[in-house]
Amino acid sequence: KEAEEAVKNDASLITQPVMDVIAKDNIACREKIVLHTSTAEGIIETAEDMKCDLIVMGSRGRSDIEGLLLGSVTHKVLTLATVPVLVVR
C-alpha cells in the first residue's frame, strides 16, 4: 500500500505541471493515475471507463519493426484500442 501511494505521489509530480499548462488554455482535462500490471491495457481500460474519444500518446521515434520487437506500449495501444489513437513525436 505504501509503495502504491509513493508511485501515485511521484506520478502527480510529473502530471501536475502538464495539467497547469492545459488549464491556462481553458482546455477541459482530467488527471487519472492508474496502477495496472500492463501499461497498455491500463491505458485502454481507462480510456473506455472515462468514455474518451481519443487517446494521445508520444512516440520515441522507433521504427515499426523496433516497436514490434521491443513490445512498445504505444504499439500495443494502437493495436488493441477501440477508440482512435493519435501518436505524436
Side-chain angles (χ1 to χ4, degrees), residues 5 9 11 16 31 40 45 48 53 57 63 66 68:
E5 288 303 316
N9 288 336
Q16 191 57 54
E31 173 190 44
E45 287 176 15
E48 290 171 355
D53 53 6
M57 300 188 69
S63 70
E66 287 175 321
L68 285 171

Side-chain angles (χ1 to χ4, degrees), residues 9-70:
N9 288 336
D10 288 349
S12 288
L13 292 174
I14 295 168
T15 58
Q16 191 57 54
V18 175
M19 297 295 289
D20 292 344
V21 169
I22 292 170
K24 286 180 186 176
D25 289 329
N26 295 320
I27 298 171
C29 185
R30 291 178 288 168
E31 173 190 44
K32 183 171 183 178
I33 298 169
V34 177
L35 301 178
H36 199 288
T37 56
S38 165
T39 304
E41 289 176 18
I43 291 168
I44 293 166
E45 287 176 15
T46 301
E48 290 171 355
D49 292 345
M50 296 178 78
K51 298 181 178 19
C52 296
D53 53 6
L54 178 67
I55 298 171
V56 180
M57 300 188 69
S59 168
R60 290 187 174 176
R62 295 184 176 135
S63 70
D64 286 339
I65 293 173
E66 287 175 321
L68 285 171
L69 294 174
L70 295 171

Side-chain angles (χ1 to χ4, degrees), residues 70-82:
L70 295 171
S72 75
V73 172
T74 301
H75 191 272
K76 288 180 184 175
V77 172
L78 279 167
T79 303
L80 301 174
T82 58

